[in-house]
Amino acid sequence: MEGNLRYEKQYSESGKGKLLVARCFIPKGAEIFSEEPLISCQFAWNKLYKYKACDHCMKPLETAEENAKRLTNDPELALPFKEQCSVTKERHTQCQKCQAEYCSQECQTQAYQLYHRMLCDMLSSPSSSLNKLQEIWKNSHYPPETCNILLIARMIARIRQAENPKLMFQEFLSFVHDTSDQEQQYVHKLLGNQFSEIQTMVNSELREALFDEDLSEIFSIEGTQKFLCLIGRNGQGVGTSSFGTWVKNVEDLELPESDKTALDLLIDQIYEKMNEVNGHFLNCEGSGLYSLHSCCNHSCTPNAEVQFPYGNHTLQLVATKDIESGEEIEISYLDDCQLRRSKATRQQILLENYMFLCQCNKCTTDQDDETDESSDDDESDENMEN
């Protein structure tokens, strides 16, 4: 199989660390790889507000129609072409002890084998340290969310349940190469001004819930700091939607032009109503840690992008332009709107959120916008802050 891969991992001595390089020509639109995360979980507030997703793979548990009814607050709404919904409720299962819900028996079994066996009893007890830990996190991390402390709990459980715990521990540690000062700066940003107090509380509840003498370094303050930095800097956002999947499926149907126009109008009206009721919070949202994805460096002119084509946490990396053999495979850590902003603004966002000064080809060759520090977007942000 190794010879068929379109990429290879390399390590740069120039400060970039890990990177992925194309082993052959990769045409635009081609899949570079697909991978499941080492660990993933739904955001705490997202789950609290009844965005129902599989506790393992994050596939939605609501049908497209149920999802649309809830997000529009319209119990009378009815969708055509219900057979285009990908949710199969008859396959859903539930943990009898902690009531965690899954999209299939396969997901429940995989979760139990990887991490859930160690966490189940604690999740079923409201007074457990694990549930106290989640409350601490929720009370200091309000929407929009970027990560969930349960990722750390699942990481520790996966390490302890692994056939070779030390090897699994090293695999997670390979995500982060920051100095302790850089980690502290990032954790301060992640947790806010009370970061020291919150970090101590997180450390205390993690020790109470999951301490293992053989992995004692994980449970030191420094170990907690390292893992907080890990989930904050390397967590890839995951968003799933049964209604969104239904929309993609019905758009592929061969219909008479008049029916197609009516369907497009209905979809537009539903999305408008969803935005009125819920704003931009339309998806089951969470984050995951992906080994291959973590090797992809940032560029302001990326040649690849992340997609989630299967409606769950399985990540696919797709080429957005032709990639030559030997060329580095790069993604953008910025969204499309941020990529259109000035060089100074792009670099500021990356420095604040990822703690590096971007030196991609665009940033090193673009001199025209070097002093353009206040685009329309920047001014809008300033007005919102004021």
Side-chain angles (χ1 to χ4, degrees):
M1 280 298 286
E2 188 70 19
N4 295 328
L5 296 180
R6 288 177 153 166
Y7 60 86
E8 65 179 2
K9 294 182 185 179
Q10 292 185 8
Y11 192 86
S12 169
E13 300 295 336
S14 64
K16 293 183 76 171
K18 295 181 293 183
L19 63 154
L20 284 187
V21 174
R23 296 181 62 180
C24 59
F25 173 75
I26 304 174
K28 178 180 178 179
E31 176 187 309
I32 301 170
F33 63 77
S34 288
E35 68 170 329
E36 292 190 3
L38 286 171
I39 217 74
S40 69
C41 70
Q42 188 177 358
F43 292 146
W45 284 100
N46 188 264
K47 185 174 184 178
L48 185 67
Y49 281 107
K50 304 187 186 304
Y51 290 79
K52 298 186 66 175
C54 175
D55 200 57
H56 179 65
C57 79
M58 283 192 57
K59 184 174 181 178
L61 299 178
E62 292 178 304
T63 66
E65 187 170 274
E66 289 171 335
N67 187 232
K69 285 180 176 180
R70 179 173 60 83
L71 293 175
T72 60
N73 196 26
D74 181 1
E76 304 302 318
L77 188 150
L79 295 182
F81 306 110
K82 290 181 176 59
E83 72 282 358
Q84 297 302 318
C85 176
S86 63
V87 175
T88 51
K89 286 201 158 190
E90 60 272 17
R91 298 193 67 214
H92 294 180
T93 64
Q94 186 177 56
C95 176
Q96 295 304 305
K97 185 172 287 187
C98 70
Q99 278 71 60
E101 296 181 278
Y102 299 93
C103 68
S104 65
Q105 184 60 55
E106 291 82 359
C107 268
Q108 183 174 1
T109 300
Q110 190 173 16
Y112 189 81
Q113 291 173 343
L114 292 177
Y115 56 84
H116 190 73
R117 173 171 55 82
M118 185 157 291
L119 304 179
C120 183
D121 284 341
M122 288 178 280
L123 290 169
S124 63
S125 170
S127 60
S128 71
S129 292
L130 193 58
N131 281 314
K132 289 178 184 177
L133 184 66
Q134 293 192 81
E135 287 303 310
I136 291 169
W137 191 259
K138 282 193 295 186
N139 291 333
S140 58
H141 287 78
Y142 296 96
E145 299 168 271
T146 56
C147 55
N148 186 349
I149 195 66
L150 191 57
L151 270 178
I152 294 182
R154 288 187 176 183
M155 275 193 284
I156 294 172
R158 178 152 190 193
I159 291 168
R160 291 187 58 184
Q161 287 189 207
E163 187 175 333
N164 187 332
K166 292 288 187 182
L167 186 63
M168 181 60 66
F169 181 34
Q170 290 304 316
E171 184 161 6
F172 280 120
L173 286 185
S174 70
F175 280 82
V176 177
H177 299 283
D178 296 314
T179 65
S180 59
D181 285 345
Q182 288 174 321
E183 288 173 0
Q184 189 173 59
Q185 289 175 35
Y186 195 86
V187 172
H188 190 168
K189 176 180 175 58
L190 182 67
L191 301 181
N193 291 331
Q194 293 180 298
F195 81 99
S196 181
E197 179 183 350
I198 296 171
Q199 182 173 272
T200 300
M201 289 191 292
V202 166
N203 175 259
S204 175
E205 299 300 343
L206 278 173
R207 290 178 65 88
E208 183 67 27
L210 294 162
F211 184 77
D212 184 326
E213 186 66 42
D214 292 336
L215 301 169
S216 58
E217 60 187 297
I218 296 177
F219 298 95
S220 65
I221 289 292
E222 294 76 16
T224 298
Q225 178 175 285
K226 188 175 291 293
F227 271 40
L228 284 168
C229 187
L230 191 160
I231 65 171
R233 292 195 65 182
N234 294 276
Q236 164 64 43
V238 181
T240 63
S241 167
S242 55
F243 179 73
T245 300
W246 175 85
V247 169
K248 290 178 183 176
N249 290 342
V250 297
E251 285 178 342
D252 290 336
L253 294 176
E254 293 186 6
L255 299 172
E257 193 61 35
S258 59
D259 291 350
K260 187 75 170 174
T261 300
L263 182 61
D264 289 343
L265 179 60
L266 173 64
I267 291 170
D268 288 343
Q269 289 172 340
I270 291 174
Y271 271 126
E272 286 175 10
K273 185 63 175 177
M274 286 179 175
N275 280 318
E276 287 177 18
V277 175
N278 283 283
H280 297 295
F281 297 98
L282 303 183
N283 298 334
C284 296
E285 295 180 347
S287 63
L289 296 173
Y290 297 83
S291 293
L292 286 175
H293 168 265
S294 72
C295 297
C296 296
N297 289 309
H298 165 82
S299 172
C300 293
T301 53
N303 54 21
E305 69 175 9
V306 168
Q307 297 179 5
F308 292 91
Y310 307 110
N312 59 16
H313 66 190
T314 301
L315 177 152
Q316 184 183 65
L317 193 70
V318 177
T320 55
K321 57 182 72 172
D322 290 347
I323 303 174
E324 300 296 331
S325 178
E327 186 179 349
E328 183 176 358
I329 299 167
E330 297 172 308
I331 60 176
S332 173
Y333 299 172
L334 305 176
D335 60 32
D336 289 341
C337 181
Q338 292 169 331
L339 281 175
R340 291 194 294 270
R341 299 176 76 172
S342 68
K343 169 184 173 180
T345 302
R346 295 194 312 271
Q347 290 192 323
Q348 180 183 354
I349 294 170
L350 290 165
L351 193 59
E352 288 179 354
N353 290 281
Y354 298 96
M355 295 192 301
F356 71 88
L357 184 66
C358 184
Q359 298 295 326
C360 71
N361 288 338
K362 182 175 176 62
C363 285
T364 54
T365 59
D366 260 2
Q367 301 300 325
D368 293 343
D369 64 353
E370 190 170 27
T371 59
D372 179 21
E373 297 185 12
S374 59
S375 65
D376 290 340
D377 289 327
D378 298 325
E379 291 171 7
S380 297
D381 286 350
E382 290 175 7
N383 290 336
M384 287 178 66
E385 290 171 3
N386 294 330

